[in-house]
Amino acid sequence: MRSSWFNKLSMIFGPKPPPSWLILSIISLLALISLLSSLSSNAIDSESRRPVSLIYRNYRRIKEQAAVDYLELRSLSIGGGTRQKELGLCGKERENFVPCHNVSANSLAGLKLDEEFDRHCELLMRAERCLIRPPKEYKIPLRWPSGRDVIWSGNVKITKDQFLSSGSMTKRLMLLEENQIAFHSEDGLIFDGVKDYSRQLAEMIGLGSDTEFPQAGVRTILDINCGFGSFGAHLLSLRIMTVCIAAYEATGSQVQLSLERGLPAMIGNFIARQLPYPSLSYGMVHCAQCGITWDEKDGMFLLEVNRVLKPGGYFVLTSPASRSQGSSSRGKKKTRMNPIEELTQQLCWTLLAQQDETFIWQKTANVDCYASRKQNAIQLCKEGDDGQSYYHPLVPCISGTSSKRWIAIQNRSYGSELSSDEIKVHGKYFEPEEFYQDLQLWRSAVNNYWSLLTPLIFSDHPKRPGDEDPLPPFNMIRNVMDMNANYGGLNAALLEEKKSVWVMNVVPARTINVLPLILDRGFAGAMHDWCEPFPTYPRTYDMLHASGLLSLLTSERCSMIDLFVEMDRILRPEGWVILSDKMGAIEMARTLAAQVRWEARVIDLQNGSDQRLLVCQKPFVKK
């Protein structure tokens, strides 16, 4: 039975043609497929990392072509008995399931020293495939920006008792009211409020206001154990990309709450492995009461901060435990900071400023500093040791010093538009012309995506009388994941169009590593192997987008049905999926979409290529 939005699509794209026309079209299509397959047996090469022509013509008047009807008639002719069955629903115990983070299984495997809380996909047990249901009390999030400050308590796994037992800072940030949690960012973070705290940090590094962070080179911030994201929410309002990372938590998760608010976050920690970011990724690393003992393991955690910090970048450590109260307290504070001070000197960091419980160090931009240290100082990593990082073990050496990206943040371009010289730094992986062509293609694609989705979203969510017309993409889309981000062109085009979304740009682990370019543009991003689950909680993204990913993964060890089950896990109810790929890959994807119960349509772009779109919506399965 067709849903209402399928009927709306029929109105947009036109009714189905008569059966006699369909039979003729199918015969023609089969002949065309046979001809194309003989000419394109080796077509999957460089296309997996950049989109082919995405120039759409007469997009709003596109009619669905014979591919969709061919698939439907083929299924009917074969008979319903051979169709792939829809997957069943998981039990209640898996409502907040995060694969690779099974603490019980990790403990049974003999892991210790907190490593049982780390990510261990190698221990992932292949259980029966099923679709994770939302909690009974789940509700569609409020429209942005209201949804940033008020969320439904039934959408996250935190109980009233857990809220009441949380620290005083948390209570000042949150107000539990019946079935909602309200975040009062004005009242809370640290001691004097989020805005005051942010301005204090800016003044400590010599700026007049936190609005000047981008001009000073601080365009991306990694917020460690971010609480519930209010610091990042404030900075995002200043157009500073702040990504929260926090360890896996079975209940009351910082990452889950941040994503529910529409803020960038992912599961990550400083236990045994590197974060999935390349060296020299962030302009600032921030730790406010993050609970990490930075001088443990011979300073390995600080070495990881140093690895992801750009030259000239800042490490901010705020901890009330180190606040001085009288002479005896000052003495204790001095003793406590001594090991960190010694480590920071070896890392060529300078203690830039200190106010009460807040310390700010600046990483050197002068690579020659490392040669002037003591003879027994921490060694530099060998060239090649700081290549692409995908959960490699922590290394006891200083990374990034031989990289061409060793450029002080103060000398980098302001905004997402990189200079030609900055683009040439990444020339090892692509030609600059490819970069500019990619951006032009995505400018066209973004306009057409929203032309397609906006009528459906508006008609499904009519505005209340008296309300102003909300700007697309309306409230349904805030968190977007680009599963095969290429150069970040989709992200850049969305910014140019002033869409109120942010993008998690994912670079597949076995492709050419363009993640440094994406991060240098000031975007959020991570490396990920799509043969494994993504480190996030269920129902955390409003839209998933992938161009060329299916063709890329067909040559790898990935299970396509497992990929679609994972996509369903991280997609919100009523969320959208847009897949762009070759006709054969899209036909396969449409079958898999039916198995995970998505409502799907194939769109022929009518641009002379065999490129197709598969547009899907995940239904809201209520209990």
Side-chain angles (χ1 to χ4, degrees):
M1 181 176 178
R2 297 187 174 209
S3 68
S4 59
W5 83 272
F6 271 128
N7 295 331
K8 298 178 189 99
L9 270 178
S10 298
M11 294 175 63
I12 296 172
F13 300 120
K16 284 189 177 181
S20 59
W21 186 91
L22 291 177
I23 294 172
L24 180 61
S25 298
I26 291 168
I27 295 173
S28 301
L29 178 65
L30 290 173
L32 178 61
I33 292 173
S34 175
L35 177 62
L36 289 176
S37 62
S38 66
L39 298 175
S40 58
S41 59
N42 59 348
I44 301 174
D45 47 13
S46 62
E47 294 182 54
S48 61
R49 69 181 180 92
R50 75 174 189 269
V52 297
S53 177
L54 290 175
I55 301 174
Y56 305 81
R57 297 186 178 91
N58 300 322
Y59 199 88
R60 295 293 295 274
R61 297 191 296 275
I62 287 177
K63 293 180 181 289
E64 186 180 359
Q65 298 300 303
V68 174
D69 300 294
Y70 165 68
L71 288 171
E72 291 178 351
L73 286 176
R74 185 179 63 178
S75 299
L76 291 172
S77 64
I78 294 175
T82 58
R83 282 188 181 184
Q84 295 290 337
K85 293 182 179 179
E86 290 182 345
L87 296 181
L89 301 177
C90 303
K92 180 178 175 62
E93 71 282 356
R94 294 181 64 140
E95 286 177 354
N96 294 281
F97 178 62
V98 180
C100 302
H101 289 275
N102 189 329
V103 177
S104 300
N106 294 347
S107 299
L108 290 174
L111 297 170
K112 53 186 179 179
L113 296 176
D114 292 331
E115 289 188 24
E116 68 271 22
F117 295 97
D118 210 345
R119 183 175 183 273
H120 294 283
C121 291
E122 68 276 9
L123 301 176
L124 181 64
M125 300 297 293
R126 288 293 178 191
E128 181 182 359
R129 295 187 183 105
C130 60
L131 306 179
I132 292 179
R133 294 181 289 184
K136 184 178 180 179
E137 301 81 13
Y138 185 87
K139 296 183 180 181
I140 298 300
L142 301 174
R143 182 198 306 176
W144 180 268
S146 299
R148 177 191 59 201
D149 300 322
V150 180
I151 66 173
W152 302 110
S153 56
N155 289 13
V156 295
K157 193 171 183 181
I158 182 170
T159 66
K160 186 174 182 179
D161 290 340
Q162 289 167 342
F163 166 71
L164 293 175
S165 64
S166 60
S168 58
M169 180 190 73
T170 303
K171 291 175 185 175
R172 291 167 64 181
L173 277 172
M174 299 170 59
L175 177 64
L176 197 66
E177 296 178 350
E178 296 182 0
N179 58 351
Q180 291 183 340
I181 300 175
F183 297 83
H184 299 285
S185 58
E186 300 294 329
D187 305 328
L189 184 66
I190 316 305
F191 307 101
D192 299 316
V194 174
K195 291 184 178 179
D196 288 342
Y197 174 69
S198 181
R199 281 194 294 265
Q200 176 192 348
L201 298 185
E203 291 169 0
M204 290 175 70
I205 63 176
L207 304 177
S209 168
D210 51 3
T211 60
E212 298 178 11
F213 273 136
Q215 291 95 316
V218 180
R219 296 162 52 205
T220 53
I221 296 177
L222 187 66
D223 195 4
I224 303 168
N225 291 352
C226 60
F228 302 132
S230 291
F231 180 57
H234 169 65
L235 291 170
L236 277 175
S237 70
L238 304 179
R239 300 191 178 184
I240 301 168
M241 176 52 66
T242 305
V243 179
C244 166
I245 61 163
Y248 167 77
E249 300 165 275
T251 59
S253 164
Q254 303 169 72
V255 170
Q256 187 185 40
L257 281 163
S258 294
L259 286 163
E260 186 66 25
R261 299 180 65 187
L263 304 173
M266 62 183 291
I267 299 173
N269 54 32
F270 284 79
I271 294 176
R273 305 183 187 187
Q274 294 179 350
L275 299 169
Y277 315 122
S279 300
L280 317 180
S281 294
Y282 291 93
M284 178 182 287
V285 177
H286 177 259
C287 162
Q289 305 178 42
C290 63
I292 296 176
T293 306
W294 289 105
D295 55 335
E296 280 188 351
K297 293 190 176 182
D298 298 323
M300 292 278 275
F301 302 152
L302 272 185
L303 280 168
E304 177 64 0
V305 170
N306 183 77
R307 185 183 72 82
V308 300
L309 199 59
K310 292 179 181 292
Y314 305 95
F315 176 56
V316 179
L317 175 61
T318 296
S319 174
S322 62
R323 187 187 299 189
S324 59
Q325 295 178 354
S327 57
S328 60
S329 296
R330 283 196 296 270
K332 289 180 181 178
K333 180 186 69 176
K334 184 68 175 177
T335 302
R336 183 179 182 276
M337 294 302 298
N338 270 338
I340 296 182
E341 288 173 350
E342 183 179 345
L343 284 166
T344 55
Q345 289 175 4
Q346 293 195 50
L347 293 173
C348 280
W349 291 3
T350 302
L351 182 58
L352 197 64
Q354 173 187 350
Q355 288 185 16
D356 298 324
E357 68 282 353
T358 299
F359 299 78
I360 299 183
W361 286 271
Q362 184 173 25
K363 177 177 177 176
T364 184
N366 180 13
V367 74
D368 295 332
C369 173
Y370 299 105
S372 61
R373 298 171 303 154
K374 297 179 181 178
Q375 192 170 7
N376 59 349
I378 300 172
Q379 297 298 307
L380 304 184
C381 295
K382 295 179 181 178
E383 190 170 354
D385 288 350
D386 58 343
Q388 65 180 31
S389 173
Y390 187 68
Y391 297 107
H392 290 170
L394 294 174
V395 294
C397 57
I398 298 173
S399 303
T401 56
S402 60
S403 172
K404 291 182 179 180
R405 294 174 56 238
W406 187 277
I407 304 170
I409 61 171
Q410 294 79 7
N411 297 333
R412 292 180 176 270
S413 296
Y414 171 62
S416 62
E417 294 298 325
L418 302 182
S419 68
S420 57
D421 289 338
E422 288 170 328
I423 293 173
K424 288 178 182 177
V425 168
H426 302 273
K428 173 182 178 182
Y429 302 118
F430 61 89
E431 294 295 329
E433 292 75 14
E434 295 179 13
F435 174 82
Y436 295 115
Q437 290 172 4
D438 180 78
L439 180 57
Q440 291 297 328
L441 294 174
W442 284 113
R443 284 170 175 162
S444 172
V446 162
N447 285 328
N448 293 313
Y449 286 167
W450 256 253
S451 295
L452 172 63
L453 291 176
T454 299
L456 306 176
I457 294 173
F458 270 98
S459 55
D460 284 344
H461 299 271
K463 67 186 182 71
R464 295 184 179 90
D467 282 359
E468 294 182 2
D469 288 333
L471 296 174
F474 202 57
N475 64 311
M476 282 293 296
I477 301 174
R478 168 67 180 174
N479 301 1
V480 176
M481 177 182 286
D482 193 354
M483 301 172 65
N484 186 25
N486 299 292
Y487 309 130
L490 174 66
N491 195 155
L494 288 169
L495 283 178
E496 286 186 0
E497 291 297 316
K498 301 187 183 329
K499 306 298 184 185
S500 59
V501 303
W502 66 271
V503 180
M504 177 60 73
N505 296 278
V506 180
V507 174
R510 289 177 174 80
T511 60
I512 293 175
N513 185 17
V514 292
L515 185 56
L517 170 68
I518 291 171
L519 294 170
D520 283 354
R521 300 180 77 178
F523 303 157
M527 187 175 294
H528 182 65
D529 183 348
W530 281 115
C531 298
E532 301 173 353
F534 191 81
T536 191
Y537 290 82
R539 304 173 298 278
T540 45
Y541 283 87
D542 305 321
M543 175 183 284
L544 304 180
H545 173 269
S547 177
L549 181 67
L550 302 178
S551 294
L552 171 68
L553 296 182
T554 51
S555 61
E556 298 189 4
R557 58 183 174 84
C558 299
S559 163
M560 288 294 107
I561 183 60
D562 286 338
L563 174 66
F564 274 67
V565 170
E566 172 64 6
M567 292 167 66
D568 184 81
R569 183 184 74 87
I570 64 181
L571 188 64
R572 294 190 197 279
E574 297 189 2
W576 297 87
V577 178
I578 299 180
L579 301 176
S580 174
D581 220 304
K582 295 193 171 190
M583 183 187 298
I586 291 298
E587 288 179 1
M588 173 193 66
R590 185 175 185 272
T591 302
L592 295 171
Q595 286 189 256
V596 295
R597 309 188 182 197
W598 296 346
E599 299 164 341
R601 276 295 197 193
V602 175
I603 308 299
D604 184 346
L605 306 180
Q606 292 188 339
N607 60 358
S609 75
D610 67 342
Q611 200 83 358
R612 299 289 185 271
L613 283 184
L614 184 69
V615 180
C616 310
Q617 187 178 29
K618 176 180 175 177
F620 188 173
V621 181
K622 297 183 180 180
K623 296 184 180 179

